[in-house]
Amino acid sequence: QSVEPLPVVPRSEGQPAESSGAMTVSYRGTESVDGREAHVIHVAPENDTASYEQTVWVDTERFFPLKKRTAWTTDGERTVVTTTYTDVSYDTGVSEAVFTPDFPDDTTVTAPETPETRTYESVSALEADTDIRVPEPDIPPGYELQFATRTQGEIRGVGLRYVNRTSLLTVAKYNYTYPSTGGDEQVTIDGRQAQLSRGPTSSLSWSCERYRYTVRGEGVSADRLIAVGQSIGCPAGE
């Protein structure tokens, strides 16, 4: 399982990235989680464990994460989030036929179109391969572009992914709009109502004329997300 955020965030969730010495990973033996034995793995920056740390309890038999504790400090405020899975069982004897629907003979089954996503090493490479105007966010100092993406299908869009030593910022733009409702807070971006949701991964979303934008962050304050969103706004014609 991947452990995020890391200085270099993996493109595949199943393959952890190398930290090049910026992070330390330590093994802390085994503990019991809801009656199951689990390996305890701790991840933290070498020089500043207060900024971010994560502990994962991994099942010793099936290597499934049974528990995760993530703690970080943003603008002097300490946040700790712990997730625990209970009543975990494997190979319960449920037949695969249980998950196979029994369709009538005259039923027509169609598969939905699967979006195609392509990855680029730079913004310029993405711009050369899409007709969607790529956002130009004001990213705080210390972040680097990890990669950019283009998605094609029924919903088309572009994305940017930035990382620093302890946090992650992503920007997405896609051709699907709807009113911004719900969330923890309503804010205004370029005269448009935006939805702000707080948590381990916070997000800010708003719709313009033709496109919807979403800015997400791990280990990033809500104020920083809003500042990035305001730098994007609603460009003319969008």
Side-chain angles (χ1 to χ4, degrees):
Q1 297 291 324
S2 62
V3 180
E4 296 185 29
L6 291 173
V8 178
V9 180
R11 296 181 191 175
S12 171
E13 294 298 330
Q15 297 294 328
E18 296 182 2
S19 61
S20 303
M23 306 284 281
T24 59
V25 180
S26 59
Y27 178 67
R28 297 186 173 182
T30 60
E31 293 181 7
S32 178
V33 178
D34 195 40
R36 297 191 65 87
E37 185 180 36
H39 296 296
V40 184
I41 302 170
H42 183 256
V43 181
E46 283 187 341
N47 302 319
D48 187 8
T49 57
S51 65
Y52 165 81
E53 62 175 319
Q54 186 176 80
T55 305
V56 182
W57 287 257
V58 181
D59 187 282
T60 58
E61 179 186 4
R62 296 301 182 95
F63 301 101
F64 181 83
L66 300 173
K67 180 179 177 181
K68 181 169 71 173
R69 177 188 182 275
T70 306
W72 68 92
T73 301
T74 303
D75 298 332
E77 181 179 349
R78 188 68 169 172
T79 303
V80 179
V81 177
T82 301
T83 302
T84 304
Y85 295 97
T86 60
D87 297 328
V88 176
S89 59
Y90 306 97
D91 295 334
T92 59
V94 178
S95 169
E96 292 185 4
V98 173
F99 303 98
T100 304
D102 185 14
F103 294 115
D105 293 338
D106 59 350
T107 300
T108 300
V109 179
T110 58
E113 179 182 2
T114 302
E116 174 195 359
T117 300
R118 181 171 295 181
T119 303
Y120 305 84
E121 298 294 335
S122 66
V123 173
S124 59
L126 169 62
E127 290 176 330
D129 202 28
T130 181
D131 57 358
I132 297 177
R133 185 192 304 178
V134 179
E136 299 179 5
D138 291 340
I139 300 298
Y143 285 85
E144 294 184 355
L145 178 75
Q146 188 189 12
F147 57 85
T149 59
R150 183 203 69 183
T151 300
Q152 288 190 309
E154 183 177 354
I155 296 179
R156 300 166 56 249
V158 293
L160 304 171
R161 187 178 180 97
Y162 299 89
V163 294
N164 67 7
R165 289 186 57 200
T166 58
S167 60
L168 161 71
L169 265 172
T170 64
V171 175
K173 172 183 178 181
Y174 42 98
N175 65 333
Y176 183 70
T177 62
Y178 52 90
S180 293
T181 58
D184 300 312
E185 184 179 344
Q186 298 294 317
V187 299
T188 301
I189 299 295
D190 202 6
R192 307 277 179 155
Q193 189 178 59
Q195 174 186 340
L196 175 65
S197 298
R198 303 173 185 267
T201 300
S202 297
S203 66
L204 177 69
S205 299
W206 69 99
S207 291
C208 300
E209 294 296 334
R210 298 167 50 206
Y211 294 96
R212 186 167 178 85
Y213 293 84
T214 297
V215 180
R216 289 190 173 89
E218 295 181 13
V220 178
S221 68
D223 288 343
R224 176 161 288 181
L225 282 187
I226 294 172
V228 172
Q230 289 175 335
S231 72
I232 299 171
C234 280
E238 298 187 359

